[in-house]
Amino acid sequence: MSVTSRTQVGIVGAGPAGLLLSHLLALAGVDSVVVENRTRAYCEARQRAGLLEAGTVELLRSVALGKRLDAEGLEHDGIYLQFLGERHHLDFRSLTGGRWVTVYAQTEIVKDLIAARLAAGGMIEFSCGDVAVSDVTSDRPVLSYTDSSGVAHEVTCDAIAGCDGFHGVCRPLIPDLSVYERSYPYAWLGILASAAPATGELIYSRHADGFALYSMRSPEVSRLYLQVAPDEPLDQWPDDRIWAELQKRFAVDGWSVSEGPITDKSVTAMRSFVATPMRHGRLFLAGDAAHIVPPTGAKGLNLALSDVVLLANALRALLKDGSPALADAYSDACLQRVWRSTHFSWWMTSMLHVAPDADSFESQLQLSQLRYVTSSRAAAQSLAENYTGYNPARFDL
Ligand code: RFL
Ligand code: PHB
C-alpha cells in the first residue's frame, strides 16, 4: 500500500539543480516535491564546485538568494595562468567590459536553497529509497519512493525533472539516447585546508609534472587541486607529499603556498559527457544528469543552474499557460550552451594538463597556446568571455 498524492512537478535530486528548480517554480506559482536519496547533512557537506559566473550570481540575487552570497562570496576580477615558472594575470573586468566571477562554495548554495525552500513551506524528502519514475509519456507521470520512515509513496505529477546527477535513475528512461563522451587520462586530487590562501585570485598552473589549481573557500580556507593518475590511490598521498608537490608546481621566486591542516581529501575522475535529447515526453533532465564537464573550466554548476532557468521558464509556460513551445525547445536550447562549455572545458583541460603519453611536440603546442592567451588581447578576451559566462540564461520573473 502506497500513500498517494499530487503535485505539478516531481523533482528527483536535491543537488543545486533540483533545489533551484523547486525554488524558481515556487516563484512562478508551480508546486513541486523534491525527492533525494541522501541525508540533508550529506547534501550540505558534499565538497564540489566553488566558482560562480557573473550571470549565476545575478540570477541568485534576482530570486532572493543573494544575501549570504553577497556577504560571504569573494568577488574575483580575474585569474592567474602560470607556466614555465612565470605567473601571468588575466583581468576579466577590463577584458570583458566589467564581468567577474565569485568564489562561493556549492555547499553554501545548497544550504541557502534548502533553507529557502523549507522556510517557504516547500517539500523536500531526504533519505528516500526505491526512487522510481514511470508513465513519462503520459500527461500524468508518477514519482514513487519510500520515505525515511519506510512508508511507500506515489506522487502523480504533470512533469518530472531528472536532477539526479550522473548516476541517477532518470537518464536511463530516455530511449534512443545519443551519448558523446571522453575520459581524460588523469584525475584531480582535491584538498581543503585550514590555511589563509596565499593568493587573492585563482592560479591555474601548467607544470612539466602536471597541472595544479589554487582556489579557496574563504579568507581562512584554501582549496587546492593536483593532477594525478586516473586510478591514483589516496593512501599514496600523505599530507607532506601533497604540500611538497603543490609547492613545486606553483613555485615562483619569493612566494609559497600557505600550508595548514588538511580537512578533506578526494580524487575526482575527469570526464566529458553529453546525453541528448534532454527530454522524453514529460521527463526533463537538467544538470549533471545530462552532462558532465571536466572541472578545469569551472562550468558544471553554472551549466546545471542555466538548464534549470530554461526548464523553469518552460514548465511555467507548459503548466500554467498550456504553451508547449519552450518545453519543445528546451533540449536544443540547453545543448547549445552545454556544447560551448564542453568545448571551453576541453580546451582549458588540454592546454593545462600533461597527458601521460604527451610528447615534446604537444608540450610545445601547449606552451605556445599559453603564451598566446597571455600576450594577445583577443585571445585573452575569448578565455575571459567564456570563463565569466557566455550568454547567460534569464529567468522570466
Ligand atoms: P548533483 O550535485 O550531483 O546532485 C544530484 C542529486 O541527486 C541525488 N540523487 C538521487 N536522488 C534521488 N534518487 C536517486 N536515485 C538519486 N540519484 C542521485 C544525489 O544524491 C544528489 O543530491 O547534480 P546537479 O544538481 O546537476 O549539480 C551539478 C554540480 O554538482 C556539478 O556540475 C559541479 O559540482 C561541477 N563542478 C564545478 N562546477 C562549477 O560550475 N564550478 C566549479 O568550480 C566546479 N568545480 C565541480 C568542481 C565538480 C567537482 N567534482 C567533485 C565532480 C570541482 C570538483 C572537484
Ligand atoms: C573550486 O574552487 O573548487 C574550483 C575552482 C575553479 C575550477 C574548479 C574548481 O576550475
Side-chain angles (χ1 to χ4, degrees):
M1 259 295 286
S2 295
V3 176
T4 56
S5 58
R6 178 85 179 88
T7 192
Q8 287 174 291
V9 181
I11 300 176
V12 188
L19 291 166
L20 180 68
L21 180 64
S22 158
H23 181 81
L24 298 184
L25 288 175
L27 294 181
V30 175
D31 294 336
S32 66
V33 169
V34 180
V35 171
E36 163 65 48
N37 60 3
R38 302 286 194 158
T39 63
R40 176 178 178 179
Y42 183 91
C43 292
E44 291 185 338
R46 186 165 36 199
Q47 289 303 324
R48 286 209 172 161
L51 205 89
L52 305 182
E53 296 171 354
T56 305
V57 172
E58 282 161 348
L59 164 74
L60 295 173
R61 282 181 184 150
S62 74
V63 294
L65 290 166
K67 195 161 172 227
R68 215 158 60 88
L69 165 65
D70 281 331
E72 296 172 29
L74 307 172
E75 262 189 29
H76 286 190
D77 292 348
I79 57 167
Y80 295 96
L81 287 179
Q82 180 169 333
F83 55 100
L84 298 176
E86 286 185 11
R87 198 168 289 168
H88 305 258
H89 190 240
L90 295 187
D91 181 344
F92 292 159
R93 285 205 198 262
S94 85
L95 289 165
T96 62
R99 298 184 75 73
W100 75 99
V101 288
T102 294
V103 170
Y104 189 64
Q106 182 166 325
T107 47
E108 306 315 295
I109 294 186
V110 166
K111 285 181 205 161
D112 293 347
L113 280 164
I114 291 174
R117 286 310 295 132
L118 296 181
M123 180 158 165
I124 312 174
E125 288 266 34
F126 290 100
S127 310
C128 295
D130 312 320
V131 178
V133 168
S134 57
D135 301 338
V136 295
T137 51
S138 78
D139 287 349
R140 292 284 179 273
V142 175
L143 171 59
S144 52
Y145 62 96
T146 305
D147 72 20
S148 55
S149 44
V151 177
H153 293 257
E154 263 189 28
V155 190
T156 304
C157 310
D158 296 324
I160 306 267
C163 302
D164 47 350
F166 186 66
H167 301 287
V169 293
C170 291
R171 191 177 62 248
L173 299 175
I174 300 190
D176 302 323
L177 205 63
S178 295
V179 165
Y180 305 83
E181 61 187 315
R182 169 151 312 176
S183 291
Y184 298 86
Y186 27 73
W188 279 14
L189 189 166
I191 63 159
L192 209 54
S194 307
T199 176
E201 292 176 351
L202 272 61
I203 309 170
Y204 288 80
S205 179
R206 182 202 177 275
H207 185 278
D209 293 345
F211 170 71
L213 172 61
Y214 203 143
S215 183
M216 61 203 69
R217 289 290 174 264
S218 72
E220 298 83 34
V221 176
S222 299
R223 174 81 167 145
L224 294 127
Y225 298 96
L226 282 172
Q227 176 190 339
V228 294
D231 45 4
E232 191 76 3
L234 257 185
D235 59 12
Q236 300 290 304
W237 287 88
D239 296 4
D240 287 356
R241 181 175 175 208
I242 293 176
W243 289 119
E245 197 62 27
L246 288 167
Q247 296 294 1
K248 184 175 69 182
R249 295 191 195 178
F250 285 115
V252 287
D253 284 344
W255 180 93
S256 60
V257 174
S258 33
E259 301 184 13
I262 295 179
T263 56
D264 190 273
K265 216 189 264 190
S266 62
V267 173
T268 304
M270 303 275 280
R271 133 182 336 119
S272 283
F273 176 93
V274 181
T276 89
M278 290 170 60
R279 175 205 183 172
H280 178 58
R282 290 280 178 121
L283 170 66
F284 298 81
L285 302 182
D288 279 16
H291 42 74
I292 298 277
V293 286
T296 329
K299 288 288 163 234
L301 171 62
N302 293 289
L303 266 187
L305 300 186
S306 320
D307 286 354
V308 160
V309 167
L310 298 177
L311 185 53
N313 290 338
L315 289 173
R316 168 170 40 198
L318 182 69
L319 303 180
K320 292 198 77 177
D321 311 333
S323 162
L326 291 179
D328 292 345
Y330 170 72
S331 181
D332 287 346
C334 291
L335 285 164
Q336 283 201 17
R337 194 184 169 76
V338 167
W339 277 113
R340 176 87 300 280
S341 291
T342 298
H343 180 273
F344 177 67
S345 304
W346 162 83
W347 178 75
M348 287 283 282
T349 301
S350 321
M351 178 169 71
L352 288 161
H353 291 74
V354 179
D357 58 351
D359 56 14
S360 54
F361 178 78
E362 190 160 339
S363 301
Q364 291 303 327
L365 291 182
Q366 288 181 313
L367 292 170
S368 169
Q369 187 65 24
L370 282 161
R371 277 190 210 100
Y372 181 47
V373 169
T374 50
S375 60
S376 151
R377 185 168 171 88
Q381 263 170 336
S382 167
L383 187 157
E385 184 175 72
N386 279 284
Y387 194 95
T388 56
Y390 173 66
N391 199 12
R394 306 250 175 249
F395 177 58
D396 302 329
L397 272 172

